Amino acid sequence: MHEMSIAMNIVELASAAAHDEGAQTINSIELDIGLLSGVMVESLEFCFEAASRSTPAQGAKLSINTIPGQGKCMACDIEFPVKTFTDQCPQCQRFLLNISQGKDLRIRAITIAD
Amino acid sequence: MCDSCGCVNPEEQITYKIPEGKSENPVGHVHESNSNLTGGHSHSHSHDNHSRTIQIEQDVLSKNDQIAQVNRKYFDRHSILALNLVSSPGSGKTTILEKTISSLKDLPVAVVEGDQQTLRDAERIKETGAPVIQVNTGTGCHLDAGMVHTAVEKLSLDKKSLLFIENVGNLVCPALFDLGEAHKVVIISVTEGDDKPQKYPTMFQAADICLINKIDLLPYVNFDIDRCKEYARQVNSGLTFFELSATSAQGFDIWLKWLQQRMDKLST
């Protein structure tokens, strides 16, 4: 369950940023998670609860922006929305996909209590 | 906090062991700094009555990726070809390594072994005479760049050598963690389903080399190699395949030749 590692990294980054600002409590954490990132949001939320225990992030709300997948066909050069790694090019029906968006796994911002 | 349930500190759970017995190489050190790895964050923020928002804009795995870059630079500078071997448990990773090491007699090879528990794989590798270190991740389901960094510090790596990193047997989690390797090598054996690339696409997407192992068993199993490769290509059209058997040595010469050619390309 790699979501636990991911959750621990989120807690670490968020707590360090809060500490730099002199804040004790993090109210919310804004994340970008791509549909092709390999991370399950439900699992991440579950792990976050455990990972944030006794840290400034305990009880923080996870606000998740889901980033849709986008790809380019290496044969026709057209861009199209991608749901899975095995999506075919809508034009040539080939599987020559270059993923340009959707692998995102980013911490955007935190909201801290003053 | 452990990697699976949040119970205790994972740092206390991860162990690094070099199997006892005859050692070909003394334990040495890699002089590489991984300090200043944690990046800062921007201080633009908005205010309301009781709280404010701090922009961070950092990849969640940025710390891992930064250590992976340190590893990669070290490997490049010392002309070390690092391969990250990933697969389900039981695909034959360790047997492939044993066979590869014993076949590449003129090439310095070292191994980082990753498993949750036991020294078994490291002991098998030790028998080949190659320097090896076992990383036990406790409950952790993958190696990360920091573990490889520490393991490599404890191993004595020759310049112009081949480093195999055998990841924890798991076709899901190791896909997300860059270790600083030159190639991610995914291994599938013909005793598994030939549709595995479609079932576990993230790993086949992340890899660039695919070994299909145990091909000596093809007459006895319902595994269609062409279909498996087709499924894998649908996920990742750039994959390079090797079909082989680590026990019968079938197809092994082509794999060894590729390794040798890859080594020859490294700068001195």
Side-chain angles (χ1 to χ4, degrees), chain B residues 21-213:
Chain B
K22 69 173 168 109
S23 176
E24 297 276 314
N25 290 50
V27 173
H29 293 280
V30 177
H31 296 286
E32 193 74 39
S33 166
N34 67 348
S35 57
N36 298 320
L37 284 172
T38 45
H41 61 269
S42 86
H43 287 260
S44 64
H45 47 253
S46 61
H47 292 263
D48 64 22
N49 287 340
H50 307 289
S51 63
R52 57 201 166 100
T53 300
I54 315 290
Q55 301 300 322
I56 296 183
E57 299 293 348
Q58 232 180 320
D59 279 342
V60 170
L61 292 177
S62 53
K63 190 174 160 191
N64 180 80
D65 294 345
Q66 283 161 4
I67 301 173
Q69 278 310 109
V70 171
N71 292 347
R72 187 165 281 119
K73 276 187 192 145
Y74 173 82
F75 296 145
D76 285 349
R77 215 165 41 241
H78 293 80
S79 299
I80 292 163
L81 179 67
L83 303 184
N84 177 7
L85 270 53
V86 291
S87 81
S88 328
S91 68
K93 290 187 295 297
T94 313
T95 310
I96 288 174
L97 285 186
E98 288 172 315
K99 182 80 186 165
T100 303
I101 295 164
S102 56
S103 307
L104 291 172
K105 288 204 162 50
D106 299 330
L107 206 65
V109 185
V111 179
V112 175
E113 276 290 346
D115 274 307
Q116 288 198 328
Q117 306 280 336
T118 84
L119 261 171
R120 279 164 201 256
D121 283 358
E123 282 165 354
R124 285 172 61 185
I125 298 297
K126 191 197 76 184
E127 287 301 309
T128 67
V132 57
I133 184 162
Q134 179 80 51
V135 183
N136 283 137
T137 58
T139 54
C141 49
H142 57 267
L143 294 178
D144 65 32
M147 294 178 199
V148 169
H149 188 88
T150 306
V152 166
E153 273 184 341
K154 293 175 191 294
L155 267 183
S156 166
L157 294 181
D158 290 336
K159 276 200 167 193
K160 231 175 175 201
S161 66
L162 182 54
L163 174 69
F164 287 108
I165 304 161
E166 183 179 334
N167 219 310
V168 178
N170 178 338
L171 212 44
V172 182
C173 310
L176 273 72
F177 295 84
D178 183 12
L179 306 180
E181 71 271 13
H183 297 283
K184 195 173 265 119
V185 181
V186 62
I187 299 166
I188 180 170
S189 60
V190 305
T191 51
E192 304 168 51
D194 52 23
D195 54 357
K196 249 187 186 166
Q198 302 259 312
K199 288 180 172 172
Y200 299 93
T202 308
M203 186 63 87
F204 284 83
Q205 239 282 320
D208 61 334
I209 306 290
C210 178
L211 305 189
I212 302 177
N213 190 26

Side-chain angles (χ1 to χ4, degrees), chain A residues 38-83:
Chain A
V39 170
M40 272 189 66
V41 169
E42 296 79 3
S43 176
L44 179 65
E45 285 170 335
F46 176 80
C47 291
F48 177 77
E49 233 182 278
S52 62
R53 231 172 271 154
S54 309
T55 75
Q58 182 168 350
K61 180 180 167 284
L62 288 186
S63 157
I64 294 170
N65 310 314
T66 304
I67 310 296
Q70 188 80 18
K72 198 177 210 179
C73 175
M74 288 186 251
C76 329
D77 223 29
I78 63 158
E79 285 230 25
F80 57 97
V82 173
K83 286 202 170 72

Side-chain angles (χ1 to χ4, degrees), chain A residues 10-23:
Chain A
I10 291 169
V11 169
E12 198 178 314
L13 289 172
S15 300
H19 180 262
D20 288 353
E21 296 290 328

Side-chain angles (χ1 to χ4, degrees), chain B residues 188-247:
Chain B
I188 180 170
S189 60
V190 305
T191 51
E192 304 168 51
D194 52 23
D195 54 357
K196 249 187 186 166
Q198 302 259 312
K199 288 180 172 172
Y200 299 93
T202 308
M203 186 63 87
F204 284 83
Q205 239 282 320
D208 61 334
I209 306 290
C210 178
L211 305 189
I212 302 177
N213 190 26
K214 307 188 190 178
I215 58 167
D216 54 317
L217 299 179
L218 275 173
Y220 313 105
V221 293
N222 188 21
F223 186 98
D224 186 329
I225 281 204
D226 291 335
R227 191 164 53 203
C228 178
K229 285 161 81 171
E230 182 56 32
Y231 281 149
R233 281 202 187 99
Q234 287 177 6
V235 176
N236 181 352
S237 58
L239 275 173
T240 301
F241 295 92
F242 294 90
E243 300 164 27
L244 49 83
S245 163
T247 49

Side-chain angles (χ1 to χ4, degrees), chain A residues 5 9 54-55 61 70 88 95 97:
Chain A
S5 290
N9 276 283
S54 309
T55 75
K61 180 180 167 284
Q70 188 80 18
Q88 287 168 276
F95 294 94
L97 190 55

